[in-house]
Amino acid sequence: MCSSTTRVLQQLIEQATDIHSSPDLLPRNTIMDMTLPLAITGARSTGKTSALFLYAQNLQTQNKHKIFYFDLSNRAFAATTADFFCALLQETYSHKQLKNGCFLLDNVHGLPGWEHFVYQLYHQVSKHIIFTSTDSETVNQFVKHINLPGLTTIHLFPVSFAEYLRITHQFPDERFSQQSKIILKQAFLKYLHGSGLPEYILNATETTTQQHNTGYSAKQFSFGLSAYLEKIITDLAPESRQEQLVVHHILQTLLQASIAPISYTELIKKTQQHLPALSDSRFHYYINKILHHNLAFEITACSAGQPLLQQINNKLFYFFDHGLINALLQARQTKVRQYNTQLNHHRQNLIQIITLLHLKRQNLQVNFLIADNHIVFLARARENKILFYPCHRLHKQNLTAILKHGQNLLKQTRLKYLLLLFCEKDRDLTLPAWCKGEYIWRWLLI
């Protein structure tokens, strides 16, 4: 073992317990009731490291464990072995301190062979381990094949609308008074025009315009988008410049196409326009990496909807956060009026993405059907199945068509009712018994 690496490791070990609370940690209640050992997955910047520190603060409040924090993306870990690292820990701290210690292992995906590292630490040092990774597929395989009794996993999505309300101190009263409804709707429009990534929310500055209070400047959005894409490209292809170029084009195509959902065939076609030499097999490899790192969602067509799939193939891809789509739109449009016009045009798809994310947060199996070029989601929870029809506005002009297509979808899926989700609705509209309606900004709080 190189002496310089040993010195770096020793320094990291000595500094591992110097953990201080941060005022910028967003409340993510989904993690606090989980037991150890625990794995946290999610795309980059969804708040995994913050979740580690929130959990650590809770443990420290209860005086349960001594906390040790290590970022495994540090190159020093790649230059050592798990056994040597465990030996250094045992030289520095007493057996009791280590046994009762809680180890926070951040960014394990940055260490090749991290599975063995975590396994050895668990069996040689402490059973109290929390680790984070952007690669949920590798973590799932680890959970399936490695013997870590009691290991549970949790997936972090971008900040939900309910979490956003708590962060911005706008959560309504339980009675849903008229004033609460007004606040909810205004907050939802701001959330829709913003992002679900914690760092966007934390760094946002209020920018009031005559057209709309977006809460983010075009300069912030453009810079944030570029910086974020560079980070995730490095995650997916850390060494090869050629691979980074391929990932860059796929992500750019996916992001630009996310203004409307894109099929597998269309995605590979658009990517190969920039990279003619890219084979179908290599494209499949890279798109799988993107999916495994939770940067996009792949949903397949419902089998009952096959007659409706003549104009699109049976897979759709959605980018994982609506805020990055907003960033792309706002970066393209320097004038506020142009930006708002284009964003209003694409609100329908933004609402679709937010609906899909909410269903995914509930661990539901989701498929899609198509009704007159409109995407409808079929969500399954065990034996229960519900059709979700998200739309921006419900009015007299579109209600007749929606009801007609809704009836056809119910016949195909043999379900009893359709749930319409809308941001706005004309007051005098009435719905039949088989079609239930709900404001999306209220449904998202369920």
Side-chain angles (χ1 to χ4, degrees):
M1 181 65 59
C2 176
S3 59
S4 61
T5 300
T6 302
R7 286 195 300 270
V8 171
L9 286 173
Q10 191 68 56
Q11 187 177 21
L12 291 174
I13 288 171
E14 291 171 356
Q15 296 173 349
T17 59
D18 296 334
I19 298 176
H20 305 286
S21 61
S22 170
D24 293 334
L25 298 181
L26 298 185
R28 308 296 295 270
N29 296 329
T30 51
I31 186 178
M32 302 315 295
D33 296 328
M34 305 300 288
T35 57
L36 303 179
L38 174 66
I40 305 172
T41 61
R44 177 183 270 274
S45 296
T46 48
K48 298 183 298 299
T49 301
S50 294
L52 278 182
F53 284 100
L54 279 171
Y55 201 100
Q57 285 180 10
N58 188 48
L59 292 176
Q60 288 178 323
T61 301
Q62 301 174 33
N63 293 318
K64 280 190 173 182
H65 299 283
K66 189 178 184 67
I67 306 299
F68 299 85
Y69 173 80
F70 296 101
D71 183 354
L72 294 196
S73 63
N74 190 306
R75 294 186 178 183
F77 291 102
T80 189
T81 65
D83 290 335
F84 184 77
F85 178 74
C86 290
L88 282 179
L89 279 171
Q90 290 161 348
E91 288 179 9
T92 308
Y93 298 98
S94 69
H95 174 73
K96 183 178 180 180
Q97 286 176 314
L98 294 177
K99 184 179 179 180
N100 294 327
C102 179
F103 285 81
L104 314 182
L105 307 177
D106 208 3
N107 302 313
V108 297
H109 55 270
L111 176 65
W114 64 264
E115 299 93 334
H116 180 70
F117 191 96
V118 173
Y119 180 85
Q120 291 297 94
L121 188 65
Y122 177 89
H123 286 285
Q124 293 185 30
V125 179
S126 175
K127 308 294 184 187
H128 310 295
I129 294 176
I130 315 176
F131 62 89
T132 72
S133 176
T134 60
D135 190 346
S136 59
E137 179 64 21
T138 304
V139 171
N140 291 337
Q141 292 300 316
F142 176 76
V143 172
K144 185 177 179 180
H145 298 294
I146 301 297
N147 180 28
L148 251 64
L151 177 62
T152 56
T153 61
I154 185 170
H155 185 81
L156 280 187
F157 290 89
V159 171
S160 69
F161 181 52
E163 289 174 318
Y164 173 80
L165 290 174
R166 290 191 179 93
I167 292 164
T168 55
H169 308 292
Q170 301 179 81
F171 209 81
D173 58 60
E174 295 181 359
R175 299 184 302 277
F176 283 106
S177 63
Q178 189 61 35
Q179 183 63 25
S180 292
K181 292 177 182 178
I182 295 172
I183 293 173
L184 268 178
K185 183 178 176 181
Q186 291 175 343
F188 176 72
L189 290 175
K190 192 170 180 180
Y191 174 75
L192 189 71
H193 285 235
S195 173
L197 294 181
E199 66 179 89
Y200 275 116
I201 296 172
L202 287 172
N203 297 328
T205 56
E206 296 297 330
T207 305
T208 305
T209 67
Q210 294 180 353
Q211 294 291 325
H212 186 76
N213 181 6
T214 65
Y216 305 92
S217 69
K219 184 178 180 181
Q220 281 179 311
F221 254 147
S222 180
F223 176 77
L225 173 67
S226 301
Y228 185 82
L229 289 179
E230 286 302 317
K231 289 176 182 176
I232 59 179
I233 287 170
T234 304
D235 287 343
L236 295 170
E239 297 178 354
S240 170
R241 180 58 188 163
Q242 185 176 4
E243 285 190 355
Q244 289 178 1
L245 182 63
V246 174
V247 173
H248 170 80
H249 281 297
I250 295 177
L251 284 172
Q252 287 283 4
T253 303
L254 183 61
L255 181 57
Q256 292 172 13
S258 288
I259 296 170
I262 188 169
S263 68
Y264 185 94
T265 303
E266 194 65 21
L267 183 59
I268 188 172
K269 179 180 177 182
K270 287 181 178 293
T271 305
Q272 288 176 336
Q273 289 177 356
H274 298 284
L275 300 168
L278 180 65
S279 66
D280 289 4
S281 61
R282 291 302 288 167
F283 173 83
H284 185 73
Y285 168 79
Y286 288 117
I287 196 65
N288 274 342
K289 289 195 78 171
I290 289 170
L291 292 172
H292 292 166
H293 281 257
N294 308 290
L295 298 168
F297 292 107
E298 175 190 65
I299 61 172
T300 57
C302 174
S303 58
Q306 288 301 333
L308 300 174
L309 301 180
Q310 298 175 357
Q311 54 200 332
I312 197 167
N313 68 350
N314 69 342
K315 289 183 180 180
L316 290 180
F317 294 89
Y318 285 89
F319 213 76
F320 82 105
D321 177 59
H322 65 281
L324 294 172
I325 300 170
N326 290 331
L328 179 69
L329 290 173
Q330 194 166 359
R332 285 177 174 176
Q333 304 293 342
T334 55
K335 293 183 179 179
V336 174
R337 181 172 297 178
Q338 290 178 333
Y339 164 69
N340 285 327
T341 300
Q342 188 163 358
L343 186 57
N344 287 334
H345 179 70
H346 296 296
R347 269 187 181 176
Q348 179 68 47
N349 183 57
L350 294 175
I351 289 175
Q352 282 184 21
I353 293 172
I354 289 172
T355 302
L356 176 62
L357 277 172
H358 191 64
L359 295 173
K360 288 283 189 179
R361 282 190 189 95
Q362 300 175 59
N363 293 319
L364 300 179
Q365 180 185 343
V366 185
N367 297 93
F368 75 89
L369 301 95
I370 300 177
D372 190 30
N373 294 323
H374 190 96
I375 304 298
V376 179
F377 298 120
L378 173 63
R380 294 177 174 89
R382 296 181 180 178
E383 299 301 320
N384 296 325
K385 299 178 183 179
I386 302 177
L387 273 176
F388 294 89
Y389 196 117
C391 60
H392 175 228
R393 180 166 183 171
L394 202 60
H395 48 75
K396 292 180 180 179
Q397 287 76 13
N398 67 357
L399 182 60
T400 302
I402 288 175
L403 294 181
K404 177 183 177 181
H405 296 304
Q407 281 186 314
N408 291 334
L409 291 171
L410 290 177
K411 287 179 182 178
Q412 292 179 36
T413 55
R414 298 179 182 178
L415 297 178
K416 293 183 179 180
Y417 73 91
L418 179 78
L419 180 58
L420 278 172
L421 298 172
F422 43 81
C423 185
E424 299 178 41
K425 170 182 174 292
D426 288 352
R427 291 185 179 182
D428 55 346
L429 293 182
T430 57
L431 300 175
W434 54 265
C435 185
K436 299 181 181 180
E438 180 63 275
Y439 287 104
I440 187 169
W441 35 264
R442 186 156 57 185
W443 174 76
L444 288 170
L445 303 183
I446 299 174

